[in-house]
Amino acid sequence: MVASKDAFKDVTFREGMDELEGIVRLLESGTLELEESLERYSEGVALLAELQKRLASAEQRVEVLMGELEDAPEDAIQDTTLLKA
């Protein structure tokens, strides 16, 4: 059975990585028939795409958070422009 794009939505990133490693080990073992190898390879590609999407999303979130930290004023610096008015 070939995995659909949504087949791995409920899998955690760690579980997905473990599953992907298992697929790679199985494919590298050379014990599967051609048809089963193709099915497992297709499943691995779908899983890899989902994991890459999650990783890109996490990287984007980290970049946003880092940008917020960089833009935050330091506590030791006081803006006195309003005090002059």
Side-chain angles (χ1 to χ4, degrees):
M1 181 177 151
V2 176
S4 70
K5 286 183 173 181
D6 296 330
F8 303 107
K9 293 289 184 192
D10 295 330
V11 175
T12 67
F13 189 84
R14 184 179 305 266
E15 291 169 342
M17 287 297 296
D18 290 343
E19 177 68 21
L20 190 57
E21 288 175 10
I23 291 170
V24 169
R25 272 193 303 276
L26 191 57
L27 289 171
E28 289 177 343
S29 74
T31 59
L32 300 176
E33 293 294 326
L34 176 62
E35 296 79 14
E36 179 66 16
S37 291
L38 289 172
E39 286 181 26
R40 295 298 294 193
Y41 183 81
S42 179
E43 182 180 339
V45 168
L47 178 55
L48 180 59
E50 174 64 25
L51 294 176
Q52 286 176 331
K53 186 174 93 176
R54 290 186 195 181
L55 188 57
S57 176
E59 288 174 345
Q60 184 178 18
R61 288 178 58 200
V62 168
E63 287 178 14
V64 167
L65 292 172
M66 292 302 293
E68 289 176 6
L69 284 177
E70 291 171 3
D71 293 341
E74 293 189 29
D75 291 335
I77 299 173
Q78 181 179 2
D79 186 2
T80 59
T81 55
L82 293 177
L83 298 176
K84 293 178 184 175

